[in-house]
Amino acid sequence: MEYALVFVWWLTILTLAVAAVPVAALLFRNLDDAGAGLALPLALAVLGVVGYWVGRLAFGWPALIAALTILLGSMVVALRRGARPDWDRFAEVATVFTLAFGLLIAVRAVDPSAYPVGGEKFLDMGMLASLLRADTLPPEDVWFAGESVRYYYGGHMVAALLGTLTETSAAYAYNAALAVFYATYVSTAYGLAGAVAAARDRSYRAAGVTAALFVGLASNAATPIRALGWLFGDAGRGIVRLAGLEVEGTLAVGASEFHFWDARTVIQDSIQEFPLFAFLNGDLHAHMMSPPFLLLVAGLLFAYYVTPERATWRRRALLAAVAPVGGLIAVVNTWSFPAVGGLTWLALALAPATPWS
């Protein structure tokens, strides 16, 4: 791990977020934090949406310059239109981002390799490397020379744009991007949960911390139960068996035997991944890069929900903003796209404003 690059990536992402804060303040003016908690995914969404469409003609620096121009131009327009950013709240969100970013960087520093066992790292590294070489979109398929990829690659595209901006090769951009998506996910959960709580006269910070812990660190019960089996000997092994878990080859017989993969398949013949499992495993995969954008959609729709019915054009603007972010999600992780429609339907159906207004 090149630690100078870690600092460059951290500084780059927060700089992009700072540029997005005034835009978020204009878009989410009815939220307690004026959208400060959603500035990070908003910045990445602008990068992704503009990068995708311009990238159909010219990817790399042309797409990146276009995205940065639109982001900075939007910042200027928002400030001129009277946006009032909540910089104190943004400092909180940036702190959460920094802690989560540092945590995953530390994890990847111990195990930075993209190896072929236990996941899809070869696919993810290949997609990232192919995009960093691409002149236009879609990129070349790494498994089928001369053909374009037929797979959702939007998250890798955003990572490649960040790699281009920071002059980082795929070998290092892989782990740095993994930390960025994890930290953006955790910090966006903090901001969105805080805004929802504040709208109901509850503590912004308490709700934010709770959401960040559940999203970023919580697991299913398998690992804690196995830990009991290890700590309490035979009695603990009884607890493990009572929970229906295997004793042998788990933490129940010693820390040296522990492997986090066991928590992935607690229910037989199925998979129960949770965020920390996926990020510990270290794939730079679609389902790990789409959640920040899905939370951004949820934030737009919550802002719609709390906007008064008389503010028709503001509600329409929020719904209009869902469309490009939803389109980006379809390119990042197509499996998550139906959730955009479901959340939008729920927001329109359940908001105090009548849907046809």
Side-chain angles (χ1 to χ4, degrees):
M1 181 70 72
E2 294 288 339
Y3 291 101
L5 282 176
V6 171
F7 175 76
V8 169
W9 275 68
W10 172 81
L11 184 62
T12 298
I13 300 303
L14 287 184
T15 301
L16 292 173
V18 166
V21 169
V23 184
L26 196 63
L27 199 56
F28 301 103
R29 68 180 72 177
N30 283 354
L31 300 190
D32 178 77
D33 64 354
L38 297 164
L40 272 160
L42 180 61
L44 294 181
V46 171
L47 208 63
V49 171
V50 178
Y52 176 79
W53 287 109
V54 176
R56 307 289 291 189
L57 300 174
F59 192 59
W61 275 107
L64 187 58
I65 290 171
L68 294 176
T69 299
I70 289 177
L71 181 60
L72 294 174
S74 300
M75 178 189 72
V76 172
V77 170
L79 289 172
R80 287 184 175 179
R81 290 181 65 86
R84 293 185 171 183
D86 189 335
W87 294 110
D88 290 337
R89 287 296 189 200
F90 178 73
E92 287 183 33
V93 174
T95 299
V96 174
F97 174 88
T98 301
L99 292 172
F101 182 78
L103 172 62
L104 208 72
I105 286 293
V107 169
R108 297 307 297 163
V110 174
D111 183 21
S113 300
Y115 43 81
V117 179
E120 298 175 279
K121 299 176 185 63
F122 269 26
L123 166 64
D124 300 323
M125 175 63 84
M127 294 270 280
L128 179 59
S130 183
L131 279 154
L132 282 168
R133 294 193 301 266
D135 295 322
T136 59
L137 298 178
E140 185 176 4
D141 190 336
V142 295
W143 308 119
F144 196 175
E147 295 291 331
S148 59
V149 67
R150 297 188 179 187
Y151 196 74
Y152 30 92
Y153 58 86
H156 305 90
M157 176 195 68
V158 172
L161 289 170
L162 292 172
T164 299
L165 181 60
T166 57
E167 296 289 335
T168 310
S169 66
Y172 298 108
Y174 181 99
N175 288 313
L178 197 64
V180 165
F181 281 107
Y182 173 75
T184 302
Y185 187 14
V186 173
S187 59
T188 304
Y190 176 93
L192 179 57
V196 171
R200 299 184 66 83
D201 297 322
R202 300 292 190 271
S203 169
Y204 180 103
R205 193 169 298 169
V209 169
T210 302
L213 290 175
F214 270 100
V215 166
L217 296 177
S219 72
N220 57 37
T223 298
I225 289 172
R226 284 169 173 150
L228 289 175
W230 172 46
L231 292 171
F232 295 101
D234 291 337
R237 295 184 186 191
I239 295 172
V240 173
R241 290 193 181 95
L242 187 64
L245 302 175
E246 295 292 333
V247 174
E248 300 303 322
T250 70
L251 191 58
V253 294
S256 62
E257 300 298 323
F258 170 71
H259 192 267
F260 65 87
W261 195 269
D262 296 326
R264 181 176 185 253
T265 52
V266 177
I267 302 172
Q268 190 174 359
D269 300 323
S270 64
I271 297 172
Q272 307 89 50
E273 287 193 10
F274 45 88
L276 186 58
F277 168 87
F279 284 98
L280 283 176
N281 184 40
D283 293 353
L284 184 63
H285 212 52
H287 68 283
M288 298 157 63
M289 295 183 282
S290 57
F293 301 118
L294 194 56
L295 289 183
L296 176 59
V297 167
L300 288 165
L301 293 170
F302 180 65
Y304 173 92
Y305 184 91
V306 298
T307 298
E309 183 170 12
R310 64 182 180 276
T312 305
W313 283 104
R314 193 186 308 165
R315 288 189 291 112
R316 289 175 181 172
L318 288 164
L319 285 178
V322 169
V325 181
L328 177 62
I329 289 173
V331 181
V332 173
N333 180 25
T334 309
W335 293 93
S336 291
F337 181 68
V340 176
L343 285 172
T344 303
W345 188 90
L346 287 170
L348 286 169
L350 301 179
T354 54
W356 49 86
S357 68

